[in-house]
Amino acid sequence: PLLSPHAASGGAPPGSSGAQAGTGGLAGTGNAGLQEFTPEVTRARISEFLHRHTAYELIPESGKVVVLDTSLPVQQAFHALFEQGLPSAPLWDSERLEFVGIISSSDFMNILHRIRSRPVSNEELEKLTISKWRVEAAIESGEVGGARRLVSVRPEDSLHTVAHSLLQC
């Protein structure tokens, strides 16, 4: 469906016949429908939407998930994601027995940037594990206590709860 301010307010665009599909055939009302787009009304509609829908609705019906162990060398992780055509993967720490984060294409770009700014030998690069890189990245960014914790929610949580959890990080 086409969403526009005119369709959302139930009116047709100015200068039209008012009998467009999706508007219920109502005649254009000029600026009368714009009253519904105040910040308060918009906030209320967004809040209603976030409370009404769940995280489960965001999960694709099918797809691949590749989980990478943090002890895996960064080079192997890159090749694994590339070969699977995936932009990111959850990270499993086999020592702590928990998911600790996600590695994504932007992480690989940061690794390449770091290598260019501070040359690393091939041997060092082959030994650079995801875990070691995460610790080094946390130190460089000034994060106390290492890398940030992974935020998770349940599928039945509302999108409002999801947004709130992300904002508390």
Side-chain angles (χ1 to χ4, degrees):
L2 175 66
L3 294 179
S4 71
H6 305 293
S9 65
S16 71
S17 66
Q20 289 186 330
T23 63
L26 299 173
T29 56
N31 289 334
L34 293 180
Q35 296 169 0
E36 295 182 33
F37 292 109
T38 64
E40 296 79 22
V41 170
T42 302
R43 277 190 207 98
R45 287 180 179 174
I46 291 171
S47 179
E48 178 187 345
F49 178 87
L50 293 175
H51 279 91
R52 196 175 16 170
H53 295 280
T54 65
Y56 181 81
E57 296 173 56
L58 300 178
I59 301 170
E61 289 185 25
S62 65
K64 294 187 237 188
V65 175
V66 172
V67 176
L68 301 176
D69 193 289
T70 56
S71 63
L72 190 68
V74 169
Q75 282 185 325
Q76 287 182 11
F78 173 78
H79 287 290
L81 291 180
F82 179 78
E83 289 170 6
Q84 295 299 316
L86 297 171
S88 61
L91 297 174
W92 176 259
D93 187 323
S94 54
E95 291 179 13
R96 293 168 42 188
L97 300 176
E98 64 182 356
F99 287 101
V100 294
I102 293 178
I103 192 164
S104 68
S105 51
S106 62
D107 293 317
F108 292 114
M109 288 188 278
N110 289 335
I111 292 167
L112 288 173
H113 177 72
R114 184 176 145 234
I115 291 170
R116 288 194 72 150
S117 64
R118 200 176 63 203
V120 176
S121 71
N122 283 342
E123 187 178 319
E124 287 176 304
L125 187 57
E126 289 173 5
K127 292 181 180 178
L128 179 62
T129 64
I130 297 171
S131 178
K132 184 175 179 184
W133 171 76
R134 285 173 45 89
V135 169
E136 290 176 9
I139 292 169
E140 286 178 10
S141 67
E143 293 178 17
V144 179
R148 291 180 281 165
R149 68 177 186 85
L150 179 65
V151 177
S152 62
V153 295
R154 298 181 318 263
E156 63 272 11
D157 287 343
S158 72
L159 293 181
H160 178 268
T161 301
V162 171
H164 187 71
S165 297
L166 290 172
L167 289 173
Q168 287 186 337
C169 295

